[in-house]
Amino acid sequence: MEVYRNIKNYRLLSVLLLSTLVACGPREMTKPDVQTPRLCLEGKLKEGTHLVRAEKVKIKESLPLTGKIEPDPDRVIHFTSLVSGVVTKTYFSLGEQVIAGQLLMDIVSPELSALQADKKRLESEIRVAKRQLEAKKSMFEDRLASESDFMEAESLQLSLEAELEKVNANLSLYRASPERSVFQVFAPSAGVVTAKNITAGMQIVADDTPLFTLADLDAVWAMVNIYAGNLSQIHIGMPAAVSSLSYPDDIFSGQIDHLSEIFQNQEKVLKGRVVLDNQNHRLKPGMVVDVTVANERDETAISIPSNALVFDNSTYYAVTYKDDCDLRVKNIQLLLMNEGIAYVKSGLEEGEQVVAANQLLIYEQLKNQLNH
């Protein structure tokens, strides 16, 4: 009888247990949401907080390149000598700024003596030719000389005057100084001496060898090195930002206005040109510069300032704001970061407000609360 009572109680207990399991069985077991700890902005924490709004924009991708500053060839004068002689003195140095009309050097030349002798000879012959012309004219008017004799005398005077004009032009070109028996060379325009191939005592000849070079550096070129792998990303009209180690806080703005049609054999690069205003002459020919060009894609993405992100344990996070007591930490997946802008692949929605100042402090407090 006691055994029968125990079996009956066991069956009753089993039924109750089965009923409990059946009642719970149809319910799906779900993973609870991660709890965001509660933190309210107040006091100095709130005063130092700055918010930015996540915006959908076109993706801009920067491409870093290198380049070198060169003068504009149309603003460069290569001075060659039209006479042979010896340089007795120079009045300028390499890299010096000169003004138009400034004396640059003296040249002693046998041609100076020859030109001066020609000038004296021609002046004397012209005086004789003028007297002969006057006599022929008088005789022609009195019908004692033919018209051809008169015209021949007139032609001789004009020919001599033309030769004298040429000699004077050559003397004027070098501003010959009869007192010192030297040719004086003056700067034809203002500029910077970018090359100097002469010294006092050097003998020069009348050929195409440049003696010195003057360059107007009010505008210069940044010649950009473009490798084959970057060529498809570069086109004329792209904005370009030029920077130098000499001026780390300054950006010189321009745009790609020309692309060469051939690759340089030695450097294996194609050259692009950026024209830069250089009124203060801070950019020097030969200076190596960094050139960043901005390529705007056709695709868009959510963007926030990159300094609004928190980087922790190889992951990017952002602290979003709804109100002073509704702050959330979100895991951010990035497409790319470029020039201070973070383009977000996932983790943020357009229009969400993100904490961009004090975000690290807020993130740490939320993280500590969550861990405890």
Side-chain angles (χ1 to χ4, degrees):
M1 192 66 179
E2 184 65 28
V3 173
Y4 174 75
R5 188 180 300 109
N6 290 338
I7 293 174
K8 186 176 180 180
N9 290 338
Y10 175 77
R11 287 178 176 177
L12 181 59
L13 181 61
S14 299
V15 171
L16 292 175
L17 181 60
L18 180 61
S19 299
T20 302
L21 292 174
V22 169
C24 296
R27 295 182 181 176
E28 184 179 355
M29 301 296 290
T30 59
K31 185 178 179 179
D33 294 336
V34 176
Q35 297 296 318
T36 300
R38 185 177 179 83
L39 174 68
C40 291
L41 292 179
E42 54 187 2
K44 292 185 177 180
L45 183 62
K46 181 177 180 179
E47 292 176 4
T49 299
H50 172 66
L51 304 178
V52 295
R53 192 174 297 276
E55 298 179 340
K56 182 173 286 188
V57 297
K58 280 191 173 183
I59 298 175
K60 290 184 178 180
E61 187 174 11
S62 293
L63 183 64
L65 303 169
T66 60
K68 182 182 289 186
I69 298 299
E70 295 182 6
D72 182 346
D74 292 335
R75 295 170 174 257
V76 175
I77 298 175
H78 300 285
F79 185 89
T80 59
S81 180
L82 300 178
V83 298
S84 299
V86 176
V87 177
T88 58
K89 188 174 183 179
T90 62
Y91 300 90
F92 65 97
S93 302
L94 182 65
E96 182 181 347
Q97 174 79 39
V98 300
I99 60 175
Q102 179 178 334
L103 178 61
L104 299 181
M105 64 180 180
D106 295 334
I107 302 174
V108 172
S109 172
E111 296 181 33
L112 176 58
S113 300
L115 286 172
Q116 289 174 334
D118 285 343
K119 180 178 180 179
K120 291 179 180 180
R121 176 183 59 81
L122 288 168
E123 288 174 342
S124 176
E125 291 179 358
I126 288 172
R127 286 194 295 269
V128 173
K130 282 183 177 180
R131 287 196 296 270
Q132 290 179 346
L133 179 60
E134 290 174 358
K136 291 291 183 182
K137 181 180 179 181
S138 177
M139 293 174 66
F140 174 68
E141 291 174 348
D142 294 337
R143 297 185 179 183
L144 297 176
S146 64
E147 183 179 1
S148 61
D149 292 338
F150 170 70
M151 293 182 65
E152 184 179 349
E154 186 179 39
S155 177
L156 176 61
Q157 178 183 332
L158 292 175
S159 176
L160 292 172
E161 288 177 345
E163 286 188 50
L164 179 60
E165 185 177 348
K166 180 180 178 181
V167 170
N168 285 331
N170 287 334
L171 291 171
S172 176
L173 178 64
Y174 285 92
R175 298 196 189 183
S177 174
E179 298 81 8
R180 299 171 56 192
S181 298
V182 296
F183 285 118
Q184 293 181 312
V185 179
F186 293 82
S189 64
V192 175
V193 180
T194 57
K196 182 183 178 183
N197 304 314
I198 53 173
T199 57
M202 178 181 290
Q203 185 171 357
I204 60 175
V205 295
D207 60 12
D208 295 332
T209 303
L211 302 182
F212 62 88
T213 301
L214 288 179
D216 178 0
L217 300 181
D218 287 349
V220 294
W221 291 358
M223 299 305 296
V224 186
N225 300 319
I226 303 171
Y227 292 91
N230 301 132
L231 187 56
S232 62
Q233 301 170 275
I234 306 296
H235 58 81
I236 292 176
M238 292 182 67
V242 178
S243 61
S244 167
L245 290 176
S246 301
Y247 314 106
D249 298 327
D250 295 330
I251 298 295
F252 302 88
S253 300
Q255 65 178 18
I256 302 287
D257 76 338
H258 176 76
L259 293 173
S260 175
E261 295 295 333
I262 58 175
F263 275 85
Q264 302 291 322
N265 291 331
Q266 294 182 345
E267 299 177 86
K268 303 299 181 184
V269 296
L270 184 139
K271 294 291 185 176
R273 182 180 68 198
V274 179
V275 179
L276 299 170
D277 180 76
N278 192 39
Q279 294 290 330
N280 50 19
H281 292 186
R282 290 196 295 170
L283 296 174
K284 315 295 183 183
M287 181 182 288
V288 176
V289 292
D290 295 318
V291 182
T292 303
V293 294
N295 183 32
E296 188 173 82
R297 297 185 186 177
D298 290 332
E299 56 185 307
T300 60
I302 302 298
S303 70
I304 59 172
S306 57
N307 58 12
L309 294 172
V310 176
F311 187 71
D312 184 26
N313 196 24
S314 302
T315 304
Y316 286 102
Y317 299 92
V319 178
T320 61
Y321 172 94
K322 288 189 176 180
D323 59 49
D324 287 349
C325 291
D326 192 348
L327 302 165
R328 298 176 182 271
V329 174
K330 291 197 172 183
N331 188 328
I332 303 299
Q333 300 294 320
L334 293 180
L335 287 171
L336 61 91
M337 282 197 291
N338 177 54
E339 294 185 345
I341 302 297
Y343 298 94
V344 178
K345 182 178 181 180
S346 64
L348 284 178
E349 299 293 333
E350 183 178 4
E352 279 193 287
Q353 293 191 92
V354 177
V355 179
N358 278 347
Q359 73 272 21
L360 182 58
L361 180 60
I362 296 172
Y363 169 81
E364 291 293 342
Q365 292 191 26
L366 291 172
K367 179 181 176 181
N368 291 336
Q369 290 185 22
L370 185 63
N371 291 335
H372 290 83

